[in-house]
Amino acid sequence: MKMKLSRRTTTAAALATLALGGTVAATAPASAATTTKAAAAATYNGACGTGYKVIDSTPVGNVGKVFLTWNESTGKNCAVTIRNTPGAKIHMAVELNIAVNYEHNPVVDSGQYTSYAGPVYMSARGYCAVWQGVIGTATGGDSGHCG
């Protein structure tokens, strides 16, 4: 009878180990999914066209980025707001302006978009750029890159 009890105890311990191992295995994919999700950050999509190089980007909350690009040959800046993960239509906007000592009209693209707003362009040779992006209620922007 002692032998049966010992086998039952060993079997129970083995099942507990398997169950624990199953839990660990089930946890591993969740961690991998979190890592994959964290890696899903907005990247520049080339929307501004040929000759434009990214010179800056600013986070838009934790849901995307607004990218500022420059085309040396044309002397123009371009800006585009890009979501981390495309999805259902949401309010998005991108605004580009230059910093000057007098009133200047910004160039804006605003609407309901699934992945990005823009591109918007502005001649900026000799001026500093000012840019902003909006995704839902999140905003982000910056200024600089005087050229």
Side-chain angles (χ1 to χ4, degrees):
M1 191 122 170
K2 271 190 169 183
M3 187 175 228
K4 283 186 181 181
L5 183 58
S6 177
R7 283 185 193 167
R8 285 184 188 158
T9 305
T10 303
T11 302
L15 288 173
T17 302
L18 286 174
L20 180 58
T23 302
V24 171
T27 304
S31 298
T34 302
T35 302
T36 302
K37 191 170 190 171
T43 57
Y44 177 64
N45 62 2
C48 292
T50 306
Y52 284 88
K53 306 269 189 257
V54 174
I55 58 172
D56 209 341
S57 67
T58 305
V60 178
N62 61 358
V63 293
K65 284 184 181 179
V66 57
F67 292 88
L68 178 69
T69 66
W70 170 254
N71 186 315
E72 179 62 38
S73 66
T74 65
K76 289 186 177 182
N77 278 118
C78 173
V80 60
T81 300
I82 303 175
R83 287 172 77 174
N84 288 345
T85 307
K89 287 185 178 182
I90 188 172
H91 173 71
M92 294 182 67
V94 62
E95 179 178 310
L96 181 60
N97 207 345
I98 54 175
V100 292
N101 292 333
Y102 56 89
E103 188 175 323
H104 192 273
N105 293 327
V107 180
V108 178
D109 178 37
S110 178
Q112 299 289 313
Y113 301 115
T114 60
S115 58
Y116 69 95
V120 292
Y121 302 87
M122 182 170 280
S123 293
R125 197 175 304 278
Y127 297 99
C128 301
V130 180
W131 64 95
Q132 179 175 327
V134 177
I135 302 172
T137 59
T139 62
D142 207 346
S143 63
H145 300 288
C146 308

